[in-house]
Amino acid sequence: MTDMTTAAGYAWFSEQYEELMEAYCITLVQGLAPEELLGALGVGSASRIAGVAGLGEPSYRLGGDDELFVGAASLGGWSLMVEYNGYLGVTDEAMLPLSRGRTVVSHFRNVNAVDHFCWYQDGAVRLHFEPLFPYHRDGTHPDELVTVMRESGFDLSDADDRDFDEHNEAAFALAHRITGVRLAPELLASAEFVCGLAPVPRT
């Protein structure tokens, strides 16, 4: 993890994708092509959409309590999965089996500012925390990335006046540092997403 990406490097996301930033789930999955990823998540039939903005309308129209609309695009040896107003990427019941033998990194925020960051690896939660409250962490290695989290832009203090202005952007930066996958505006605008409805696992 030598990349020095920080929250400032992802300021463009909220500026260019304001609707998505209000309620999103971004997931990076190692070693699976988009079609393989959707198949592993139980997506029955798939369509294709060019550009991340095109995922918004069908997400709100088709998604629900039992199924979520997901789109996945190929980024080299990784797949990028994007959900508008979704949460499959931070659902342990879906991601823990998927992460066996690979790395999965996901972060989420909903319209109520509830947020999660998850680093899954080889069938376990390696790190989990809420970006608004990064001082409280759990997982098998909760303190492994403390320095990297600070460098990414998280204020790890528990003081009332802690700085959390860029905590969403810091989540993007941390995911970038863990995976080495850089998201860029032109990439999201041009990526071809394989899309479909994925069932939500029930506990």
Side-chain angles (χ1 to χ4, degrees), residues 66-167:
D66 297 322
E67 293 180 310
L68 292 169
F69 187 81
V70 301
S74 178
L75 296 181
W78 296 77
S79 279
L80 165 68
M81 186 171 81
V82 177
E83 303 170 67
Y84 275 77
N85 199 37
Y87 52 86
L88 195 64
V90 293
T91 300
D92 289 351
E93 291 77 12
M95 294 299 114
L96 285 172
L98 189 67
S99 73
R100 293 192 182 107
R102 62 177 52 87
T103 296
V104 177
V105 175
S106 184
H107 50 107
F108 151 93
R109 168 195 165 103
N110 70 12
V111 293
N112 298 315
V114 174
D115 55 8
H116 294 281
F117 186 102
C118 299
W119 177 13
Y120 301 97
Q121 191 158 14
D122 202 17
V125 180
R126 194 174 182 91
L127 171 66
H128 165 260
F129 65 94
E130 297 176 51
L132 265 175
F133 308 102
Y135 55 85
H136 180 71
R137 300 173 297 280
D138 54 71
T140 61
H141 295 70
D143 298 325
E144 179 181 5
L145 297 185
V146 165
T147 299
V148 178
M149 289 176 67
R150 286 197 183 97
E151 292 173 350
S152 297
F154 288 107
D155 183 343
L156 301 187
S157 73
D158 60 358
D160 291 339
D161 61 348
R162 70 186 185 281
D163 182 7
F164 51 82
D165 287 344
E166 295 184 317
H167 66 283

